[in-house]
Amino acid sequence: MKNETGVRWPRGLRARSAVGLVLAASLVGLAAAPASAAPDPWESQSGIYHRFTVPKSSVPSNACGNSTGAGSEIEGNFGPSKTWARMGLDASGADCAANIGPLQPGLYYYQYVATNADRSRVAFRNPANPVEVTSHPDWNTLFIPGPEVAWMDDVAQGGGSVAELSYHSPVSQSEQSVAVWTPPGYTTKTAKALPVLYLLSDQGQSFREWLELGRARQILDNLAVSGELSSMVVVMADAGDTNPGAELLDGIVPAVKAAYNVSGKVKENAIAGIGRGAAQAIELAAAKPGVFGSVGSLSGYLSDKTTVTPDQARKINAKTDLLRFYVGNTLDPNYNGTYEAMTTLAQAGVRLEFDGVHPETGGVWDTWRENLRDFASRAFKPSVKDHGLTEGHRPLTEPYTAPATGSITTPDIDENGMVTFETGTQWADAKDVVLWGDWAPNGQWFRIPLTKVGDRWRTTIGPIDGYYYWRYEVNGVGFHDPQDTKNVVNMESQLFVPGGVRTPLLADALADETGKLDTLSYNGAFGASKVKVWTPVDYDPNRAQPYPVLYLYHGFGQNYAAWTEVGRAAQILDNMYAQGKIKPMVVVMPGYTGAPFDIWNELSGNVMPLVKSQYNVSDDPAQRAMAGLSWGGFLTNGTMVNHPGQFAYFGMFSPPFTNATINPSTPGGQTAIATTKSVTLFAGDVDTGAVGAINGIEASMNANGIAVAKTIVPGPHGFDVWWQGLIDFLPRLF
C-alpha cells in the first residue's frame, strides 16, 4: 500500500491516516542548526605545528607524560592513514603540552586522557568548551583547510541550510529528531517538490555525526555551489535497531513530507547509510523494491538471513536506478561484509555498482566523507556515464583473511602495506599494550594501542611505507620485540615497508651493493667496549691510498649499535655509495657510557689504534671526520675546539647545548680555524635546545671564517632528524 506521501511501505507497517499526518505536521519542531562548537581553547597553532596546552590542574591524574605511573596524553586520528594514536603531554611549567605536526589538511578528532597509577584511563575535556560530537562528548575536532579538502570546507556564500526536525517515533513512542539540509534558495512554496535523500547512521553514532564528523553540510554546500548536486533535501537520521523499517517509513518519512516540499516519487527518493544504516538501506531495497530509487551502502553488509531470489532481483533492477557500494581498506570492519553483500546480490542477478576499495583508510569518516560526496553527486542523475571504480581504488575480488592468531612473525606486512603486529602470550595479564614508534608526521613518537585477542595483543596499521623504529610498551614500560633476533642491542626494532617513497635511502641496498658491517671488541676507558665499522662494497685492504675515515658517535643513553640498529647508517652509506653520492670511506661507530665531557683520550688512545690495526685508513687529519648526534654532537663540538687539528670535517646533529667556542686569540683557536674544512649543523625545529646550540655554533664559525652549513628541518630530537643530518653531511666529506 501507499501512504499519503506516495512512498510505498512494506506490508505490515501501519500507515498514518490523513488526519494523523496533519496532526504530525502541526507538532513538528523545526530548530535552526546548532552553532558550530567553539575551537578547543587548549589548542593553538604555531607555524606548521598544533600545540596542545593543558593546565596541570585540569588533568585528573594531575601529572604529565605517560609512564608506569600517572600521566596524561592526547589521542586521536593523528596516526598513519588516520590511525588512532596517542602522544604524551609533557611537563611545561604549570601545563602539560605537546606539539603535533605538520598535519595534512582534513578533519581530526581527538580527546585528552589521563592515565592513573593503576593504569585506568579517564577522558576529559576543557569544561568551558561546548560538546562538539554528540556521540563522543569528550572529543574535540580540528579542521585544517587546504586545496585537497576544499570540497569539505565551508563555502564562502551560497550554501544551504540545516535545521533539526522533531517527530513522534512509532517504535519508541517518544519524540525523536533528525537533521535536514535544504539547498540554497529552498522554500516550501517551490512549484516542484524536491527529491529527498535519507542518510542513516551506524550503530553507536548519532544522526548529528553526519554533520559533526561527516561534514555533510559542507560537502553538500560545495556540491550545490559547483553545480554537481541535483537540487534535493537531505535528511540525516538514526533508524535504531528495534524496527528500522517502521521508524523510517512510519515515522521519519511522513514527518519530513509534512514539513518539507519533497517528492513522493520512487525515483526521487534515495537512501544511504553507514554500517548498520547501510545494512538497513540495502535490506530494504532487497526486501521491498520500489521504496527508494537510489541506494548507497557505505561499509555495509547484509544480515545472515538475507536471501535474494532471481525474481526479487528482477524487481530490484526494475525499480532501482542506482545501487552503489563503498568500503574502506582491510581495516574496515565491514570489508568482508561488503564483499558478501555484493556477492549475494550479484549472484541473484541484481545490477549494482562498486566504488572500489578505498586504499588509504578503513571504516572511518575519512572514507565515508568521500563516499557521501560521490553518492550525493550521482543520486537522481540517470545521465551519469561512469559507473565504475573511483580512480585509485581497488577491486574487491575476495574476502580478507587476516593472519591467524599465533602465526605472525612480527611484523606481518601484506602486499598493500598493511602491517600487523602481534605479541606472544607473555603479556596476557597486562592492562594495556601499545606500539611506541616514530609514527608521527615528522618522526615524533606516537603510541598506537593494541587490542587483546585471547592471550595475545594485536593491531594492524597502514598502509604505510618506508622505515620506522618501534617497541612495545606494556603497562607503560618499554620492551624489545621478543621475536626480533636481528636487532638485539637496542630496545627498538626496525620496520621497513617497501613500495613507497618515504626515506628510500633507508631501504636495504641490493646484495651486490651492500658493504660490510663488522663489530670489533676491545677494553678501554669504559671497560669492555665495542665499535661498529662499515666498509664499502669494494673496500680493498691493500689499496695504495689509505681510506678516509669518519668517526660517528651516538647520543646519551644509546650505544655503539644505535646508528645501525635504529639509525640505518649502514643502509644510508650503502645506497649513497652505490649512487655515487659519497666518496669511498671507512665509517667507525664507537660506543661510550654515561655523559663524558671529553672523548678524545678514549678515541685517540683506544679506538683509533684499534681501527688502524685492522683497516687501511689514513692518519692524515685532513682525511678524518668526526660527527655525532645529541650528546655525540656535543662531544664533536668539544673535540673541534679543545683538540684542534685532529679532524678536518665535523658534523653536529642536535647537540643539546654548545660545548665550547673557538678563541682565535689562542694557538689552539688558530689551529682549529686553519685545519677545519667544514662544519655541518643539523636539528629539528621543535628541538629548541638543539636549535639554540647550532645557532650559537654557527655564529662562532662565521666569526672565524669557517665554512658552515646549517639546516633546521621539521622534527624532534630523534632519528628522523639525525638520519637526514647524516644524509646531508656525508657528501660534504673528503
Side-chain angles (χ1 to χ4, degrees), residues 434-464:
V434 300
L435 295 175
W436 177 101
D438 60 330
W439 319 109
N442 66 355
Q444 291 177 277
W445 304 283
F446 277 162
R447 297 175 176 91
I448 297 177
L450 279 71
T451 301
K452 194 171 185 183
V453 180
D455 288 339
R456 302 172 185 269
W457 294 81
R458 185 180 178 113
T459 194
T460 300
I461 63 175
I464 58 176

Side-chain angles (χ1 to χ4, degrees), residues 499-511:
V501 296
R502 183 180 185 267
T503 57
L505 289 175
L506 276 63
D508 290 335
L510 299 174

Side-chain angles (χ1 to χ4, degrees), residues 140-162:
N140 303 277
T141 61
L142 171 63
F143 181 72
I144 300 175
E148 311 96 308
V149 294
W151 56 274
M152 60 172 179
D153 202 348
D154 293 327
V155 298
Q157 58 184 1
S161 300
V162 174

Side-chain angles (χ1 to χ4, degrees), residues 286 302 304 306-314 316-317 323 325 336-353 396-399:
L302 291 173
D304 293 338
T306 302
T307 58
V308 180
T309 66
D311 183 58
Q312 283 178 295
R314 286 190 289 272
I316 294 170
N317 292 339
L323 175 55
F325 282 79
N336 287 353
T338 295
Y339 170 80
E340 291 160 3
M342 291 196 300
T343 301
T344 297
L345 295 172
Q347 288 178 345
V350 174
R351 186 173 57 248
L352 57 85
E353 300 177 6
L396 179 53
T397 57
E398 61 183 4

Side-chain angles (χ1 to χ4, degrees), residues 200 271-273 276-286 292 295-297 323:
L200 304 183
I271 188 170
R276 180 203 63 182
Q280 293 165 350
I282 54 181
E283 287 174 2
L284 179 60
F292 295 97
V295 181
S297 170
L323 175 55

Side-chain angles (χ1 to χ4, degrees), residues 30-290:
L30 282 173
S36 298
D40 174 13
W42 288 343
E43 183 272 333
S44 61
Q45 186 171 4
S46 176
I48 63 172
Y49 292 99
H50 294 267
R51 184 166 178 82
F52 302 87
T53 306
V54 182
K56 190 179 294 186
S57 59
S58 297
V59 179
S61 62
N62 197 36
C64 304
N66 183 55
S67 62
T68 55
S72 56
E73 296 171 290
I74 181 173
E75 63 178 24
N77 65 331
F78 299 116
S81 300
K82 299 301 179 73
T83 300
W84 193 260
R86 305 169 182 167
M87 188 177 204
L89 295 165
D90 296 324
S92 177
D95 300 320
C96 300
N99 285 316
I100 301 178
L103 294 174
Q104 295 299 314
L107 182 70
Y108 296 85
Y109 37 93
Y110 62 93
Q111 64 183 4
Y112 303 99
V113 179
T115 299
N116 298 311
D118 63 359
R119 305 303 299 171
S120 61
R121 294 171 56 79
V122 180
F124 65 99
R125 64 182 291 109
N126 189 315
N129 209 40
V131 171
E132 297 181 56
V133 183
T134 304
S135 51
H136 298 279
D138 290 311
W139 284 11
N140 303 277
T141 61
L142 171 63
F143 181 72
I144 300 175
E148 311 96 308
V149 294
W151 56 274
M152 60 172 179
D153 202 348
D154 293 327
V155 298
Q157 58 184 1
S161 300
V162 174
E164 288 199 3
L165 167 67
S166 64
Y167 70 96
H168 182 78
S169 167
V171 177
S172 66
Q173 297 299 316
S174 63
E175 290 300 301
Q176 300 295 327
S177 297
V178 297
V180 183
W181 177 87
T182 49
Y186 168 80
T187 171
T188 56
K189 297 180 180 180
T190 52
K192 182 180 183 299
L194 296 183
V196 56
L197 164 61
Y198 294 87
L199 299 175
L200 304 183
S201 58
D202 196 2
Q203 195 166 30
Q205 296 176 343
S206 82
F207 67 88
R208 295 187 183 94
E209 204 161 310
W210 280 103
L211 300 168
E212 297 162 341
L213 298 180
R215 296 187 73 82
R217 176 177 189 163
Q218 289 85 352
I219 293 171
L220 296 167
D221 282 351
N222 277 285
L223 288 173
V225 169
S226 65
E228 299 174 76
L229 187 75
S230 296
S231 185
M232 67 174 78
V233 172
V234 180
V235 180
M236 290 151 269
D238 180 1
D241 291 306
T242 306
N243 191 339
E247 187 73 24
L248 179 65
L249 299 172
D250 220 11
I252 297 169
V253 169
V256 171
K257 180 66 176 178
Y260 292 91
N261 186 12
V262 295
S263 173
K265 297 177 181 178
V266 171
K267 290 183 177 295
E268 294 183 342
N269 275 257
I271 188 170
I274 300 168
R276 180 203 63 182
Q280 293 165 350
I282 54 181
E283 287 174 2
L284 179 60
K288 298 292 178 179

